[in-house]
Amino acid sequence: MEIDLLQHCPKRCPPDGENKAVLYSTSLRGIRKTFEDCNTVRNILHSTNVEVDERDVSMDSQFRQELKDLMDKPVPVPRLFIKGRYIGGAEEVVAAHESGALARMLHGLPHGNLSKDCDGCGGVRFIPCTDCSGSCKSVGADGGVVKCPECNENGLVRCPICS
């Protein structure tokens, strides 16, 4: 039954998102409605006890670019993809949850850990780069300073424990 529901959703698969739920969101509180919408969707997904690959666009610009490429234009977050299908933003996810359709779409996905706390990152899913200590600077082959090849623009790497 969940396959029929997903077949009506556009096929847009995030990298490595064929068999999982992928949520593009933000943890920044710069725009209240965006932050609240992200929390609403995050809480709905958390209540389903399904493992979710959350990609915070404020923590890594690569995630922002992935979402832009998937949608063929910049779009606001949150955006949910399930099994390589685009479900929608906050309004669509809330409506699907209230109708019971979301649970059917998520059927068959692995169960997640209900604890938001990770011993490595405290639930943030990123840690400071261990190579450059978050400075984004490294010593190049010629002895000069170069951008650290391991971390993103914020000096962070994905948590090796929970991501």
Side-chain angles (χ1 to χ4, degrees):
M1 185 178 213
E2 73 277 352
I3 294 173
D4 292 335
L5 292 173
L6 288 173
Q7 284 181 346
H8 297 291
C9 299
K11 184 164 179 55
R12 293 190 178 147
C13 189
D16 192 34
E18 298 84 13
N19 296 308
K20 62 173 79 168
V22 177
L23 174 64
Y24 289 90
S25 66
T26 184
S27 57
L28 289 181
R29 298 174 187 221
I31 301 172
R32 182 182 300 201
K33 176 148 177 44
T34 300
F35 179 74
E36 290 172 353
D37 286 349
C38 288
N39 278 339
T40 297
V41 172
R42 191 179 296 114
N43 289 333
I44 287 171
L45 291 170
H46 182 72
S47 75
T48 66
N49 192 26
V50 168
E51 186 176 304
V52 176
D53 181 0
E54 187 172 353
R55 301 181 183 182
D56 190 330
V57 300
S58 62
M59 297 293 273
D60 193 333
S61 63
Q62 177 185 346
F63 295 147
R64 184 183 321 275
Q65 188 60 47
E66 277 179 15
L67 182 58
K68 182 179 176 184
D69 293 345
L70 282 166
M71 304 305 292
D72 297 322
K73 63 182 178 182
V75 294
V77 291
R79 296 292 157 176
L80 178 64
F81 298 80
I82 299 174
K83 299 176 186 173
R85 300 291 183 145
Y86 174 59
I87 306 308
E91 289 180 21
E92 293 84 2
V93 173
V94 168
H97 175 62
E98 289 174 350
S99 72
L102 184 64
R104 293 191 303 273
M105 288 185 230
L106 293 168
H107 180 75
L109 291 180
H111 290 288
N113 183 358
L114 287 178
S115 171
K116 291 185 177 183
D117 293 328
C118 166
D119 290 337
C121 67
V124 179
R125 304 186 99 173
F126 284 88
I127 60 171
C129 178
T130 54
D131 288 357
C132 70
S133 300
S135 71
C136 298
K137 297 175 185 163
S138 184
V139 178
D142 62 354
V145 176
V146 296
K147 189 212 177 290
C148 177
E150 301 301 318
C151 61
N152 67 18
E153 70 281 0
N154 296 317
L156 302 172
V157 294
R158 295 206 61 184
C159 177
I161 297 171
C162 68
S163 292

